[in-house]
Amino acid sequence: SFRQRHALEMVGIAAAPRATRPAMRSTLSTRVRCSFVKSDGGAVSSNRRVAESRSTSSKKTRRSFVPGDASGSVFGAIAGVAVFLASPSPSLSEPGQRPPPVAEMPGGCTLDALDLFKDTRAKFSLEVGTGALPEAVLDLATCDYSGANMDGKVLSGAIASNATFDDVSFTGGEMSRAKAVDSSWKGANLSSTNFYEVNFAGSDLRGANFDNAILTNARFGKDAKGKWADLDGVNWDGALLSSSDAQRMCENPTVDEYGRAILGCR
C-alpha cells in the first residue's frame, strides 16, 4: 500500500549513511550563493538572496556560511572566523584587534596587501563592514593605487575612504559593503565588479566605467562636508541597479546629460 511504501522510504532515509549528508548541505550552499538576480523591479545581490532565505530556512542558510562542519549558528560562524584569523600575521597582533591601516604596515600599500583576509571578507562582508569582525578589516586610507591592475581583487568590507584609485583596472572584482567616502576613481575601469552597498559619498568618479557592474544600494551622495560625489562622464551602460537606485543617483547634480538619459532621470 501507499503507507507501507512511504514507511519503507522513510526507513531508508533514516538509515542512510551520515557520510552522505554533508553533500546535501553542499548542494544547498550552492543554491543559496547564486548569482545576482532581478526581483520586485530591481536588482538583488547574492548577499540579499541569503538574507531572504533565512526567513524560511534559517538553519540551512546559516550552515552555508560556516567553514567545515560547524554548528551553523551566527556565533559558530564568527567563532570559526576568529580561529582562522588567530594564525600568525604580520598585520595582526591578537584576535579581536583591528589591524593598523595598510599604509602603516611593513611594505605599505602594495597589491599583495589587498589580499589580506580576502576569503573572510568575501564570505562575511556584512560582519566585517559593520565592525563585528575587526580582525578582518582592511583599511586602505591614504593609499594610492593609481594605474594599478586590480582585476579580480576582493575589497569587500574594506575601508577605502580617502584612498586613490585613479585609472586603475578593477574588473571582475568584489567590493560589496565597502566604505569609499571621499575616494578618487577618475578614469577607472570598474566593469563587471560587485559594488553592492558601497558608499561613494563625496568621491571623484569622473570618467569611471561601470559597464555591467553591480550597483545595487550603492550611494553616490554627499560627504560630511556636503560635497557631492562627482559623476561627470561616468559610463552607466549595462550597470545593474534598481529604478530607486537610479532615481537616487539622478538627485546628484554632477550627472551629465548622457548619464541622465541612461539612468532614466526625469
Side-chain angles (χ1 to χ4, degrees):
S1 67
F2 171 78
R3 291 184 177 178
Q4 289 175 330
R5 290 198 304 273
H6 181 67
L8 290 174
E9 290 173 357
M10 294 303 294
V11 170
I13 292 173
R18 292 181 64 83
T20 63
R21 292 178 183 177
M24 298 178 188
R25 289 198 296 269
S26 176
T27 301
L28 172 65
S29 176
T30 301
R31 290 199 300 267
V32 170
R33 294 176 186 171
C34 63
S35 59
F36 295 82
V37 298
K38 289 189 176 181
S39 176
D40 298 329
V44 180
S45 74
S46 56
N47 289 306
R48 180 174 170 185
R49 184 73 174 270
V50 170
E52 292 173 350
S53 299
R54 288 179 179 169
S55 63
T56 57
S57 182
S58 59
K59 287 187 178 180
K60 293 181 180 178
T61 302
R62 284 197 294 266
R63 285 185 184 277
S64 69
F65 288 95
V66 182
D69 193 24
S71 65
S73 67
V74 174
F75 296 104
I78 295 177
V81 177
V83 171
F84 169 76
L85 293 172
S87 58
S89 170
S91 61
L92 181 64
S93 56
E94 61 183 61
Q97 283 190 338
R98 175 171 164 172
V102 170
E104 299 177 10
M105 293 182 184
C109 302
T110 64
L111 286 175
D112 288 340
L114 299 178
D115 294 331
L116 289 170
F117 321 121
K118 66 177 182 179
D119 293 334
T120 301
R121 289 185 287 101
K123 295 178 181 178
F124 299 90
S125 62
L126 176 60
E127 289 80 1
V128 175
T130 57
L133 287 175
E135 300 95 330
V137 170
L138 183 68
D139 189 344
L140 301 174
T142 74
C143 282
D144 188 343
Y145 285 97
S146 295
N149 186 337
M150 295 166 46
D151 292 346
K153 290 293 184 181
V154 177
L155 300 185
S156 297
I159 298 174
S161 298
N162 298 300
T164 302
F165 302 92
D166 295 344
D167 299 311
V168 299
S169 179
F170 183 30
T171 66
E174 290 284 337
M175 197 176 170
S176 60
R177 296 190 173 96
K179 297 179 179 66
V181 176
D182 292 323
S183 56
S184 183
W185 303 80
K186 295 193 298 290
N189 183 7
L190 310 175
S191 63
S192 301
T193 291
N194 177 11
F195 293 103
Y196 176 73
E197 284 191 356
V198 175
N199 187 356
F200 285 110
S203 296
D204 191 344
L205 291 141
R206 287 175 292 172
N209 176 24
F210 281 114
D211 178 37
N212 205 37
I214 297 169
L215 299 176
T216 312
N217 288 343
R219 305 286 170 165
F220 298 89
K222 298 178 182 179
D223 62 10
K225 297 180 180 179
K227 182 182 71 173
W228 284 95
D230 196 335
L231 305 177
D232 184 44
V234 170
N235 176 27
W236 308 101
D237 285 343
L240 184 63
L241 66 163
S242 68
S243 58
S244 59
D245 292 325
Q247 290 306 310
R248 188 168 56 247
M249 293 175 189
C250 291
E251 297 174 2
N252 188 319
T254 68
V255 179
D256 58 23
E257 290 302 316
Y258 177 76
R260 292 181 68 82
I262 294 295
L263 294 171
C265 300
R266 300 172 182 174

